Amino acid sequence: MVIGYVNGDARQDVIVAHGGWMAMGVYLQESDGSFQAEKLYFLPYASHYNPHGLAFGDINGDDKYDVVIADYNHGLVWLWGTVVQPYSLTIAAGTGGTTNPSPGIYTYDYDEDTNVSITAVPNYGYGFTGWSGDASGTTNPITITMDSDKSIKANFAKVEPPAEKKGGCFIATAAYNSSSNPHVKFLREFRDEYLMPCKLGRSLVDSYYKYSPYIAELVAKHKVLRIAVRINLLPFVVFSYSMVHFGPIITAVMLVFVFVFPIFLISFFRRRFDCKVEAKDPKALASLN
């Protein structure tokens, strides 16, 4: 067993050669004095190892920690680059977006195949403009090879939404024969505040703009259809108005009231009716039940 600074973080770590089961264990020390779970590395078989026959360090100057073991079966055993070197990746995001993984500092054990994929995720109304720091270009997602400490930032800028998505709702506009109608405005405000900021909402809006022009054209040509669509849109208009002006909590309370209160009234008057019938003719109540 040897104790030393395996990963260069100024905290003493432990390397153990396990005799008899072909494994070397590495315990990296945390900042609170505890140790991470043991990481095992393969060793040639030996029933035991000399307590003074284990050493480690960057022997060949490649910035990787190597291990040397004096083995009575094999002589000197060189394990080149065996002890992994952890590197940190710092991810930042500018105004108007985030990243996946989320912005923060991450530590990765060095390995030739350790690649980290990072995706820039712009908010609604923003576009991804490129990477800065230890990465450049506009490739998204981008793959980072962890061969040193690295720091990258995702940058975003405001963009104008497509012209069609800034206008009114096609079907509602056709039904009310005006994009400035208050009911159309309520639907548009709900779309912009609740649908467009989220991925699912944007997908629904994209589907709507893909298929609704054909329906809107048909509605605009027939007065009866316009009236029918207005009637069917009314619950959506009320819901949109409530969500925008009162918020989701009050809207949820109102919906519960709308659906539960009629059931309560029906049950209440049914009991009163049963009581009156029973008072006048008990046999009649039995026949009703």
Side-chain angles (χ1 to χ4, degrees):
M1 180 180 72
V2 293
I3 298 174
Y5 303 110
V6 173
N7 57 0
D9 62 0
R11 294 192 291 267
Q12 297 273 31
D13 308 303
V14 178
I15 297 180
V16 179
H18 296 287
W21 47 296
M22 299 190 303
M24 178 188 70
V26 177
Y27 297 86
L28 298 178
Q29 186 176 174
E30 300 280 15
S31 59
D32 61 0
S34 62
F35 287 86
Q36 297 179 10
E38 181 183 25
K39 295 182 180 179
L40 295 177
Y41 302 89
F42 172 78
L43 287 179
Y45 175 80
S47 61
H48 68 278
Y49 295 97
N50 190 307
H52 303 292
L54 175 64
F56 77 96
D58 182 11
I59 297 174
N60 57 355
D62 63 355
D63 294 326
K64 302 178 184 178
Y65 282 94
D66 312 303
V67 175
V68 182
I69 297 175
D71 183 349
Y72 65 89
N73 288 326
H74 305 280
L76 284 179
V77 177
W78 303 81
L79 303 176
W80 301 107
T82 298
V83 182
V84 294
Q85 172 69 35
Y87 290 115
S88 66
L89 171 63
T90 303
I91 304 174
T95 302
T98 185
T99 59
N100 184 22
S102 302
I105 300 177
Y106 300 86
T107 300
Y108 294 88
D109 289 338
Y110 179 89
D111 188 276
E112 292 293 345
D113 297 322
T114 300
N115 293 320
V116 183
S117 179
I118 306 168
T119 303
V121 184
N123 295 337
Y124 174 65
Y126 286 81
F128 172 63
T129 58
W131 304 99
S132 58
D134 291 315
S136 59
T138 57
T139 301
N140 190 29
I142 192 173
T143 299
I144 301 295
T145 300
M146 292 306 300
D147 52 9
S148 64
D149 291 337
K150 293 188 176 180
S151 175
I152 70 169
K153 181 179 180 180
N155 301 290
F156 306 91
K158 284 189 175 182
V159 295
E160 283 293 321
E164 65 172 7
K165 294 185 180 180
K166 293 173 62 180
C169 304
F170 290 134
I171 296 177
T173 300
Y176 291 101
N177 203 27
S178 173
S179 62
S180 60
N181 185 282
H183 290 184
V184 179
K185 178 184 176 183
F186 299 151
L187 294 170
R188 187 167 57 242
E189 289 176 344
F190 174 76
R191 176 202 65 191
D192 294 341
E193 186 169 339
Y194 287 96
L195 295 182
M196 295 307 294
C198 67
K199 184 176 181 180
L200 176 59
R202 289 193 295 271
S203 298
L204 292 174
V205 172
D206 288 339
S207 298
Y208 172 81
Y209 278 108
K210 182 178 180 180
Y211 299 107
S212 65
Y214 308 103
I215 302 174
E217 184 178 356
L218 180 64
V219 170
K221 293 179 180 179
H222 300 85
K223 184 177 180 180
V224 175
L225 279 179
R226 290 201 300 271
I227 296 174
V229 172
R230 289 179 193 177
I231 295 173
N232 284 277
L233 282 178
L234 190 58
F236 297 98
V237 172
V238 174
F239 176 78
S240 299
Y241 179 88
S242 179
M243 287 288 289
V244 172
H245 292 85
F246 302 120
I249 296 178
I250 294 180
T251 301
V253 173
M254 293 172 61
L255 287 174
V256 171
F257 179 80
V258 167
F259 287 105
V260 173
F261 187 67
I263 297 175
F264 171 78
L265 286 180
I266 293 173
S267 176
F268 174 76
F269 285 110
R270 168 85 183 263
R271 286 197 299 268
R272 291 195 61 182
F273 175 76
D274 290 345
C275 290
K276 290 181 179 179
V277 171
E278 183 179 15
K280 293 181 179 179
D281 188 353
K283 294 182 179 180
L285 178 62
S287 64
L288 289 175
N289 293 329

